[in-house]
């Protein structure tokens, strides 16, 4: 057991989460065990053409991670390091699927460290069963009408089961 005066280990897991996938959920499960508080930061990025608006994405994420008592969800427009400062986070959690992700995350980590000295990037490797899961694959399947009703290719394999029907409902509104 740690000392009572030990600082809390606060981390941020940032992304567009458009939509939130089983790969994201796996990173949250693992990171929530490593840190006292984990913030999932739904990035509002005007340069990204997101399928769902940031509030919808945040609501889906909140529902997907409701079982984790130490996980919070927020929406933020701007630099991730500015949000980290606001919640006194020292760690930035990143999930990577391969070497290209590692190369990208390394340069982002250096930039974040330059902007916020306390920012330490913690990289969690994707579990093998989640290597092929990405939000872009889910968006493509949705656009091609391969939702949960289609028996050949379904997004059920990629989305947390507790948000699947809400995701499909939100998609139908678009």
């Amino acid at each position: 057991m740690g000392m009572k005066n030990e600082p809390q280990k606060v981390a941020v897991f940032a992304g567009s989460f458009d939509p939130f996938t089983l790969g994201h959920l796996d990173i949250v499960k693992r990171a929530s065990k490593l840190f006292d508080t984990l913030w999932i930061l739904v990035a509002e990025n005007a340069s990204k053409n997101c399928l769902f608006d940031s509030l919808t994405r945040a609501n889906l994420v909140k529902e997907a991670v409701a079982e984790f008592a130490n996980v919070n969800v927020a929406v933020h427009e701007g630099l991730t390091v500015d949000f980290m400062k606001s919640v006194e986070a020292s760690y930035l959690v990143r999930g990577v699927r391969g070497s290209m992700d590692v190369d990208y995350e390394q340069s982002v980590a250096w930039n974040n460290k330059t902007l916020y000295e306390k920012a330490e990037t913690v990289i969690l490797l994707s579990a093998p069963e989640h290597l092929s899961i990405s939000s872009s694959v889910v968006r493509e399947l949705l656009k091609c009408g391969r939702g949960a009703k289609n028996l050949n290719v379904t997004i059920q394999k990629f989305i947390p089961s507790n948000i699947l029907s809400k995701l499909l409902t939100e998609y139908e509104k678009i």
Side-chain angles (χ1 to χ4, degrees):
M1 300 286 295
M3 303 293 267
K4 285 190 178 197
N5 315 12
E6 270 188 45
Q8 291 281 301
K9 288 188 176 130
V10 180
V12 173
F13 178 34
S16 57
F17 305 113
D18 186 42
F20 192 77
T21 68
L22 287 172
H24 296 133
L25 183 61
D26 180 57
I27 297 296
V28 169
K29 280 180 186 174
R30 292 161 50 206
S32 70
K33 293 174 187 169
L34 298 173
F35 301 100
D36 300 308
T37 302
L38 177 65
W39 284 91
I40 301 176
L41 180 60
V42 178
E44 201 169 308
N45 186 341
S47 67
K48 253 192 173 177
N49 192 12
C50 289
L51 189 58
F52 298 103
D53 64 60
S54 57
L55 189 58
T56 299
R57 289 181 279 137
N59 287 333
L60 288 167
V61 172
K62 280 179 191 170
E63 190 154 334
V65 302
E67 68 183 275
F68 304 101
N70 66 331
V71 175
N72 304 297
V73 179
V75 175
H76 179 73
E77 185 175 0
L79 296 176
T80 300
V81 292
D82 290 338
F83 179 80
M84 289 177 70
K85 290 174 190 175
S86 76
V87 297
E88 298 181 8
S90 298
Y91 304 95
L92 182 60
V93 173
R94 304 301 295 158
V96 298
R97 289 177 290 215
S99 60
M100 286 177 59
D101 287 353
V102 173
D103 289 345
Y104 172 77
E105 293 300 341
Q106 186 175 37
S107 71
V108 172
W110 289 333
N111 289 324
N112 286 336
K113 191 79 166 160
T114 300
L115 296 169
Y116 180 43
E117 192 176 291
K118 291 183 181 179
E120 289 294 341
T121 298
V122 176
I123 292 178
L124 297 178
L125 302 176
S126 289
E129 64 269 25
H130 299 304
L131 287 174
S132 65
I133 297 176
S134 72
S135 294
S136 53
V137 167
V138 173
R139 287 193 306 273
E140 194 61 30
L141 290 172
L142 284 168
K143 289 176 185 174
C144 294
R146 300 290 189 154
K149 294 169 190 139
N150 186 301
L151 297 176
N152 294 331
V153 180
T154 72
I155 62 168
Q156 290 173 331
K157 298 172 188 168
F158 306 114
I159 299 293
S161 58
N162 66 329
I163 64 166
L164 182 60
S165 63
K166 273 201 166 142
L167 175 76
L168 294 170
T169 302
E170 288 298 332
Y171 183 71
E172 287 172 12
K173 293 179 186 176
I174 299 174

